[in-house]
Amino acid sequence: MTYDERSGVVGAVAPPPKLLIDWLSEGEVTCLRMSGVIDEQFDAPGLATKITGRYLILDVGGIERISSFGIRQWVDFIGAMAPRLSGIYYVECSPKVVDQFNMVANFGGSGFIVSFYAPYRCDTCDQERRLLFRTDEETPLWKAGQAPPSLCPTCSNPEDFDEDPATYFTYVAQQPNTQIPPQVMNFLRVHLSYGQGGQRKLKIEKRIEGRATYLKFSGDLDSDLRAQKLADGLEGEVIFDLGGILSVDPVGTAQFRKLMQMLAAKTGTDEQVDRVHMLAVPAPFLERLGRPEDLTAKGQVLSLLIPYNCSRCRATTQRLVDFAQHGEELRAGRVPRVKCGICGGPVTCVVSESWFSRLQTLPVPQVPPDLRTTIARLTTAPPPAAAAAGRQTGFPAATPVTPSGVAASGPGWNPQAGSQPPGMLSGGLGMSNTTSGILSGPRQTTNPGATGALSGMRGELTPGSRPPQATGIAPAMAQNTTLLGKLQGIPGLLPGILVVLLSLSGAIVYRILSVPQTNKRGDWQLVESSQPKVPAWHDGKYVSKDDLAFIGHSPPLTDRAEAVERADIAAQTELAQRLADAVSTKHSEWAKVVPALYTGAMQAVLSEVTKAQAALLREQQREMESESKERSPSLKAAEQSLAQARDKLGEIHKRVSMALRTGAPDLMQPAPLQYWEKKARSSKGSREVVYQASTLLQLKPESLDRLIAYYGQSEAATLAKAHAVSFFPLLGYRFDPANGGAVVVEVDAQGPLSPIGLQVGDIVLSISGRDVHSAIEFAKLADQAVQDSASKDSIFKVQRGEQITNLTLKKTAPKKGPAFPGKKLGK
């Protein structure tokens, strides 16, 4: 993992966790959008304490599965929230969620289902899709237990309802009618694009300046996109702002491709399109429509929305990145280094391998200075009808957009703490240094995206952009020349400050000014600490009597968040090392293969640190014996060498930690205990401040047993006749955990994978283009590849040593019968 001080990017990419939770708060309404799997690791109490407001909207369209233990956690969550809320509203309930409403008592508590998906299937096209129904509309058929008819948008033939309608519509048909509060309806309309017709309607806002046409998309990219109609009249420079797209379905995909082909075909005509510039491209959109044939020769991506997930609070945020400026780093697998905007913890980029492969084929953007200026004006201009809408709904009239194409922050958005070096923002299409809690999680009707990250509303203010213009009553405030009056003229600023102050009050910091502490370097004073009593495990010499307690310490650092992160990483690395011993003892098959893959690399880097420490001690001894008052160049070189060795080890430990957190995040409970101290000292007129942190990670016996079983127990691919174990965290000493994979521990010499060259010790990264994140996925995909070999080839992407290679399981040739069936040759 490398970090570029100039660009502020770091390679920290991992497959998505089981459950992604994104939220948006505005006024009295809080919305959580969930995607993935709800199981026993769903942190019901922790999530409940973070929610404030009067109304709660739960967007559960991305929930793919709910386990039995997950149901228990969910019911506890709803039970804890209901007494202190005025209403809970469920939107876009996935079929899996609808099933739980029908089967589990009190699954939704006193909440009300606003909308839900119903599964349909076209036998002619062999295609599945989901239709969104609103419960506040006239729908007599499903209220009577019958499925409303639907025609396939591809072939226009009738579709079949893919469930038992009498059972599927039971709960929604019987739930009492509830008047949805105006605040909730306004929120749905403004932020989730809910119109009057059930589906979230695709809206396209159009602005023109000179030869440039700006089109801002919001809502679902589906059959509402009419390629022919939209292409008519487009010419010159065309700018697509795609950040407001909420989902992409197959029909919308086909229409967008058709649109790009029509624009490319205008070359040489009176309506020639020079280029199509795409802003704020969400990850699922790039995966589906980012190939060269999709973009055509006219299309180029100027900026991307990159999703991140926080393992601490499970929130998902996104970062807008200028691809023209940072394309080289992104293609090399390095993404912006940010921190969670909700809890300030470390985050991991969650994108698929397909996303990175699309980056490799994107053209280098070419944006002339005059066009850059034009884009800035077009994106910051408010829509004509915005002021009226703001006065009617009470929401901000317009959400200004920065030159990068990202909307300015509205009230209640959770700001993402910027972590990049100063000077990163250069105006124009520069990288944003602030992100909002973004509603993400695509609603793809055929196959929910693996990244689980799709942009809703976004927020930022860059140095070159203006704050939102006041509307309605706000202009009167804006005329006030006092500081308070000016602040009140910015919609949502003062409420946002209040939210920040309230959140800070939750983290009580005890100031201790009277307890001096000293060390060999000079006199240090303890200025602050996270709690009044220093825990015993903060002492570096402390030895725990509990075998399930793992302690990590940070070195003195100038940044508190970094110190806490380093302590977390150290504790998790300690757990990984102890876990290796336990797994090796219990699983002999694992012990024969996996340790050999990382032991050499681990010993090499530890030996490098040890040698650097010994060299520094020797130089210090010489310095003490010398009468010179100046530090020798050799001592400075030894200090620098040790610092470099430690930095290298620290980066490797980050990889080990990331592998542990992303490999089995649901087994890493409870949350770690953390303690930090702020110390200061003055020397020669200057003041030096450092932070030092410690983390205690204490597992329950059953949690450790499950970790041992998860990593050590091999999974068998019965048809492929091969066994594999999941990627072990200490493999991060040698391999990039972002690639994931499963380690092959046995291959049957007579099996179908032996002839293609698969070997024990290979790390299988993907099979037939689908990423392998665990041993279970390997077994499933390997068997599927063997089945598919009757009709097609399958590619096994394998890490073997330092090389990544592709092994091909070729299509099985059909057996040839006699030339003349029923007759013997020669007769």
Side-chain angles (χ1 to χ4, degrees):
M1 185 183 302
T2 57
Y3 174 63
D4 187 340
E5 294 289 349
R6 176 184 61 81
S7 63
V9 293
V10 63
V13 184
K18 286 186 177 181
L19 181 66
L20 294 173
I21 303 177
D22 316 313
W23 59 40
L24 164 66
S25 297
E26 188 166 72
E28 297 180 308
V29 181
T30 298
C31 177
L32 302 183
R33 173 173 286 176
M34 300 180 173
S35 58
V37 177
I38 296 177
D39 56 17
E40 69 273 13
Q41 301 306 320
F42 175 56
D43 184 12
L47 185 59
T49 58
K50 294 183 177 72
I51 296 174
T52 59
R54 187 177 174 189
Y55 303 104
L56 176 63
I57 297 175
L58 294 172
D59 182 338
V60 288
I63 297 299
E64 302 167 6
R65 183 171 64 85
I66 306 178
S67 71
S68 299
F69 291 117
I71 293 173
R72 181 186 62 192
Q73 294 292 92
W74 178 268
V75 172
D76 291 344
F77 169 67
I78 299 299
M81 293 300 306
R84 54 190 178 93
L85 294 174
S86 298
I88 301 176
Y89 301 91
Y90 300 92
V91 298
E92 302 186 31
C93 297
S94 70
K96 294 295 184 183
V97 173
V98 173
D99 289 342
Q100 302 306 323
F101 270 102
N102 288 326
M103 294 186 295
V104 180
N106 295 323
F107 180 81
S110 57
F112 178 74
I113 295 180
V114 178
S115 61
F116 65 95
Y117 283 109
Y120 282 80
R121 178 178 180 81
C122 176
D123 289 335
T124 305
C125 300
D126 193 23
Q127 178 175 293
E128 299 176 355
R129 71 177 185 133
R130 304 187 303 181
L131 297 184
L132 186 68
F133 292 129
R134 288 274 293 274
T135 59
D136 57 343
E137 297 173 338
E138 290 298 327
T139 50
L141 283 177
W142 61 256
K143 284 188 176 180
Q146 301 178 33
S150 174
L151 296 179
C152 175
T154 303
C155 66
S156 299
N157 288 325
E159 293 179 312
D160 294 327
F161 186 66
D162 210 15
E163 290 279 354
D164 176 17
T167 303
Y168 191 81
F169 298 114
T170 299
Y171 186 91
V172 290
Q174 296 177 356
Q175 77 170 357
N177 291 328
T178 299
Q179 185 68 30
I180 302 177
Q183 300 97 313
V184 176
M185 285 304 303
N186 286 337
F187 188 98
L188 294 174
R189 186 162 46 248
V190 172
H191 295 298
L192 298 185
S193 299
Y194 270 72
Q196 302 298 321
Q199 287 287 129
R200 298 167 304 188
K201 290 295 182 181
L202 176 66
K203 299 177 182 177
I204 302 177
E205 176 190 329
K206 189 174 184 179
R207 302 172 193 162
I208 301 174
E209 180 178 322
R211 282 185 50 79
T213 303
Y214 170 83
L215 297 143
K216 182 178 178 60
F217 292 73
S218 60
D220 293 334
L221 194 65
D222 53 19
S223 56
D224 286 339
L225 178 63
R226 306 293 184 185
Q228 181 66 57
K229 182 178 180 181
L230 189 59
D232 288 344
L234 287 182
E235 58 184 338
E237 303 288 350
V238 178
I239 301 109
F240 288 163
D241 186 341
L242 305 172
I245 292 177
L246 297 173
S247 72
V248 183
D249 77 1
V251 179
T253 300
Q255 285 294 316
F256 193 88
R257 286 174 179 149
K258 182 179 179 181
L259 171 64
M260 292 300 298
Q261 291 167 0
M262 295 178 69
L263 297 181
K266 289 187 174 187
T267 302
T269 67
D270 293 338
E271 290 188 352
Q272 175 170 314
V273 172
D274 298 332
R275 290 303 295 262
V276 179
H277 311 276
M278 301 183 187
L279 307 176
V281 177
F285 183 95
L286 184 67
E287 292 169 6
R288 277 181 169 248
L289 290 162
R291 297 176 302 177
E293 57 267 34
D294 298 328
L295 300 178
T296 72
K298 298 291 185 181
Q300 66 173 0
V301 173
L302 301 189
S303 56
L304 299 161
L305 283 174
I306 302 180
Y308 293 84
N309 178 254
C310 176
S311 59
R312 185 179 299 168
C313 69
R314 303 270 179 118
T316 304
T317 51
Q318 298 200 46
R319 185 64 168 262
L320 183 73
V321 177
D322 181 356
F323 187 69
Q325 182 179 355
H326 300 282
E328 184 178 347
E329 292 95 338
L330 291 169
R331 287 191 183 96
R334 301 194 298 272
V335 293
R337 182 183 184 182
V338 298
K339 295 179 181 177
C340 179
I342 298 168
C343 70
V347 295
T348 303
C349 177
V350 283
V351 291
S352 69
E353 186 176 343
S354 298
W355 186 83
F356 272 114
S357 66
R358 296 288 181 266
L359 294 182
Q360 309 305 317
T361 60
L362 291 182
V364 177
Q366 303 295 328
V367 187
D370 56 340
L371 178 60
R372 189 181 291 265
T373 304
T374 301
I375 291 176
R377 286 196 297 267
L378 286 169
T379 53
T380 54
R391 286 190 290 269
Q392 292 172 1
T393 65
F395 282 80
T399 307
V401 195
T402 68
S404 296
V406 62
S409 178
W413 282 102
N414 297 302
Q416 170 71 48
S419 59
Q420 58 200 72
M424 284 294 297
L425 290 172
S426 57
L429 293 169
M431 179 189 294
S432 67
N433 71 334
T434 307
T435 329
S436 300
I438 297 173
L439 288 177
S440 68
R443 302 294 182 264
Q444 298 178 6
T445 57
T446 54
N447 182 20
T451 63
L454 188 60
S455 149
M457 304 293 291
R458 307 177 310 286
E460 75 168 314
L461 281 176
T462 65
S465 63
R466 295 175 293 177
Q469 297 297 317
T471 58
I473 301 175
M477 297 183 180
Q479 301 300 320
N480 194 331
T481 59
T482 66
L483 176 61
L484 180 60
K486 292 179 180 179
L487 292 176
Q488 288 174 332
I490 302 176
L493 179 60
L494 293 182
I497 293 175
L498 179 60
V499 170
V500 172
L501 292 176
L502 290 174
S503 65
L504 289 177
S505 68
I508 301 175
V509 177
Y510 297 86
R511 294 184 173 272
I512 306 174
L513 301 177
S514 59
V515 184
Q517 295 201 354
T518 61
N519 62 14
K520 295 179 181 180
R521 294 187 298 166
D523 295 332
W524 289 93
Q525 276 195 328
L526 182 62
V527 179
E528 295 181 26
S529 64
S530 55
Q531 63 186 55
K533 185 178 180 180
V534 181
W537 43 267
H538 180 60
D539 188 343
K541 299 180 181 179
Y542 175 81
V543 178
S544 175
K545 297 179 181 179
D546 187 351
D547 290 338
L548 298 180
F550 309 95
I551 303 171
H553 305 284
S554 77
L557 297 168
T558 57
D559 182 75
R560 188 181 74 187
E562 186 178 357
V564 172
E565 180 184 3
R566 291 281 290 273
D568 286 351
I569 290 172
Q572 291 160 1
T573 303
E574 174 69 15
L575 167 59
Q577 291 170 346
R578 300 258 292 274
L579 184 61
D581 296 336
V583 175
S584 184
T585 301
K586 192 166 184 179
H587 297 279
S588 57
E589 187 181 43
W590 182 93
K592 294 177 182 178
V593 178
V594 179
L597 297 177
Y598 65 78
T599 302
M602 181 171 67
Q603 290 176 346
V605 70
L606 293 177
S607 176
E608 187 177 342
V609 174
T610 302
K611 290 179 180 179
Q613 287 175 331
L616 179 60
L617 287 175
R618 287 194 300 269
E619 292 300 328
Q620 288 175 337
Q621 183 66 28
R622 292 173 186 170
E623 197 80 5
M624 292 174 62
E625 296 173 355
S626 173
E627 296 181 358
S628 176
K629 296 181 179 180
E630 296 183 0
R631 296 168 65 244
S632 65
S634 58
L635 177 60
K636 295 179 181 178
E639 290 174 341
Q640 184 178 5
S641 178
L642 178 60
Q644 291 174 347
R646 284 177 171 170
D647 287 344
K648 180 179 179 181
L649 181 62
E651 292 300 317
I652 290 176
H653 283 176
K654 284 184 181 180
R655 299 193 334 197
V656 172
S657 170
M658 184 178 74
L660 184 63
R661 287 182 287 106
T662 58
D666 53 338
L667 303 180
M668 295 293 295
Q669 285 200 345
L673 300 177
Q674 297 169 327
Y675 173 79
W676 57 262
E677 291 179 344
K678 178 182 179 181
K679 298 178 183 179
R681 70 176 179 181
S682 298
S683 176
K684 297 181 181 181
S686 63
R687 188 168 185 264
E688 185 179 2
V689 175
V690 297
Y691 293 88
Q692 214 160 3
S694 298
T695 294
L696 172 63
L697 182 62
Q698 195 154 14
L699 294 185
K700 297 178 180 179
E702 54 270 25
S703 295
L704 182 63
D705 290 341
R706 285 189 293 173
L707 280 170
I708 294 172
Y710 174 82
Y711 286 112
Q713 186 172 320
S714 65
E715 296 291 337
T718 54
L719 296 179
K721 297 184 179 181
H723 291 70
V725 294
S726 296
F727 187 95
F728 191 72
L730 290 184
L731 289 168
Y733 271 94
R734 185 180 178 188
F735 307 109
D736 187 354
N739 295 331
V743 182
V744 178
V745 294
E746 183 181 348
V747 181
D748 191 329
Q750 306 302 319
L753 300 186
S754 179
I756 72 173
L758 189 67
Q759 302 173 7
V760 171
D762 285 346
I763 303 176
V764 180
L765 305 179
S766 67
I767 301 175
S768 299
R770 299 180 63 181
D771 294 340
V772 174
H773 299 130
S774 65
I776 294 177
E777 288 187 8
F778 165 81
K780 178 180 177 182
L781 294 176
D783 280 345
Q784 184 64 49
V786 172
Q787 288 181 334
D788 293 345
S789 64
S791 58
K792 64 179 182 179
D793 294 349
S794 296
I795 304 296
F796 284 66
K797 185 178 180 181
V798 169
Q799 174 98 46
R800 180 176 296 165
E802 312 310 319
Q803 302 296 322
I804 295 180
T805 184
N806 290 332
L807 307 177
T808 304
L809 178 62
K810 293 188 176 296
K811 174 182 175 181
T812 304
K815 295 182 180 180
K816 295 183 178 181
F820 302 97
K823 296 182 180 181
K824 293 184 179 181
L825 295 178
K827 293 286 186 179

